[in-house]
Amino acid sequence: MSEREIPRGLIQALRYAGRITVLTGSGISAESGVPTFREARSGLWARYDPQQLATAEAFERDPHLVSEWYEWRRRLVSEAEPNPGHRALAELEGRVPVFTLITQNVDGLHRRAGSENVIELHGNILRSRCSWEGETVEPEEGGAVPPVCPNCGAPLRPDVVWFGEMLPAGAFEAASEAARECEVFLSVGTSSLVYPAAALPYEALESGATLVEVNPSETPLTGNADHVLRGPAGEVLPELLRKAFSPTSR
Ligand code: BV8
């Protein structure tokens, strides 16, 4: 991989930070073979817009269709493995006194890579919950689609936050505190379009943090970042860790 120029100031900021906060989007899972949210329209799903499927209205209107879409994504996610980008963030957590990983992703790959202090802002696709009672429920394998709640018979839904729904209680407050209290904020693999998650980097900036964006493409956040590392997370993050923490780099 090209030895991309990582500014010395950023390396120092990472090396001596007392608290680092990271926000990730579906881009960090792209190299694990999980299509990004806007790409989750491959094949037979091409004609559907995720923003039309990831809503309570769509589930109400056609629970079978929405459940099939989530089944397809669950299979993709269960076949995926964490990539070097996920693993670099798990390593970073061990090198910083206080570290918070905020993710918009619902694939669970950060925890599988070893990250511990993870805030799943939008839930987790591998969990289901009763659409009536709200309790998380283990759906039985190979059951009906959509599966029904063994307790009350209502359809089970994926335990994720749909467009128009509130985030899990306390999640955004904890994420906002981590953004306001950190010295370095990394925004990795997100188009910075979905709120309230997309507001977090600005909270960090307003609190005086150094803002870093890791993304192969430009986003609405790019112009506000102190450092922009233009490349795939699976290459950029391991290089950042090497430069900031390997003994030879001191
Ligand atoms: C809310 C779970 C309060 C589901 C997701 C009207 C009515 C109601 C709300 C709104 C409204 N208008 C606006 C809103 C707010 C709305 C919103 O922000 N809409 C946007 C579209 C304008 N937000 C909400 O509704 C939120 N709730 O506001 O509640 C409320 C309640 C009621 C009424 C009013 C307010 C809830 C939002 C959560 C939605 N659920 N996911 C599921 O997954 O099925 S969002 C989903 O899409 C993801 O979780 C993620 O957050 C988002 C996609 O963003 P990204 O992760 O960034 O992915 P994307 O594909 O866009 O980009 C990938 C990026 O990676 C790209 O930049 C690419 O360049 C980069 N990349 C690619 N490869 C790599 C890479 N980067 C690094 N390395 C690589 N290799």
Side-chain angles (χ1 to χ4, degrees):
M1 174 208 110
S2 69
E3 277 298 297
R4 103 189 55 253
E5 195 40 50
I6 297 186
R8 183 135 196 81
L10 172 55
I11 291 169
Q12 300 286 54
L14 287 172
R15 188 175 290 164
Y16 299 110
R19 179 163 192 176
I20 295 179
T21 296
V22 179
L23 170 68
T24 62
S26 57
I28 195 168
S29 296
E31 291 155 270
S32 295
V34 179
T36 64
F37 197 76
R38 276 159 186 67
E39 287 167 5
R41 294 160 55 173
S42 56
L44 71 162
W45 298 106
R47 61 181 181 282
Y48 295 101
D49 173 355
Q51 276 169 216
Q52 304 308 318
L53 284 176
T55 67
E57 292 73 25
F59 186 72
E60 183 81 26
R61 190 173 51 248
D62 191 342
H64 192 278
L65 174 73
V66 172
S67 299
E68 278 201 327
W69 184 53
Y70 277 93
E71 267 318 299
W72 171 67
R73 289 174 61 196
R74 273 195 188 110
R75 274 197 301 279
L76 279 182
V77 162
S78 48
E79 286 153 14
E81 289 297 326
N83 66 58
H86 294 107
R87 287 197 289 274
L89 293 181
E91 183 193 335
L92 181 57
E93 181 167 13
R95 292 194 178 271
V96 182
V98 184
F99 181 87
T100 308
L101 176 52
I102 306 159
T103 188
Q104 302 171 86
N105 299 343
V106 295
D107 57 31
L109 287 176
H110 283 303
R111 285 213 169 85
R112 284 180 51 197
S115 292
E116 293 180 8
N117 188 15
V118 181
I119 300 174
E120 290 181 322
L121 277 188
H122 296 158
N124 188 310
I125 200 171
L126 298 173
R127 282 195 310 266
S128 296
R129 71 171 193 256
C130 174
S131 58
W132 183 251
E133 299 166 315
E135 301 297 303
T136 46
V137 179
E138 272 310 307
E140 78 254 13
E141 289 300 316
V145 177
V148 294
C149 171
N151 194 35
C152 73
L156 293 183
R157 57 164 285 177
D159 193 18
V160 298
V161 178
W162 278 330
F163 286 100
E165 293 188 324
M166 303 303 278
L167 274 54
F172 190 70
E173 292 70 14
S176 184
E177 187 271 342
R180 289 195 312 277
E181 299 303 320
C182 67
E183 289 153 66
V184 182
F185 189 100
L186 296 166
S187 177
V188 181
T190 177
S191 58
S192 299
L193 293 172
V194 175
Y195 284 80
L200 293 166
Y202 299 98
E203 288 197 45
L205 261 185
E206 281 155 29
S207 305
T210 297
L211 178 61
V212 186
E213 181 177 61
V214 178
N215 196 315
S217 313
E218 194 159 319
T219 76
L221 183 69
T222 305
N224 299 282
D226 297 297
H227 302 288
V228 176
L229 302 178
R230 187 68 71 229
E235 294 178 17
V236 171
L237 293 176
E239 186 188 351
L240 209 51
L241 267 287
R242 262 195 311 277
K243 291 256 170 85
F245 298 104
S246 63
T248 53
S249 66
R250 292 204 178 266

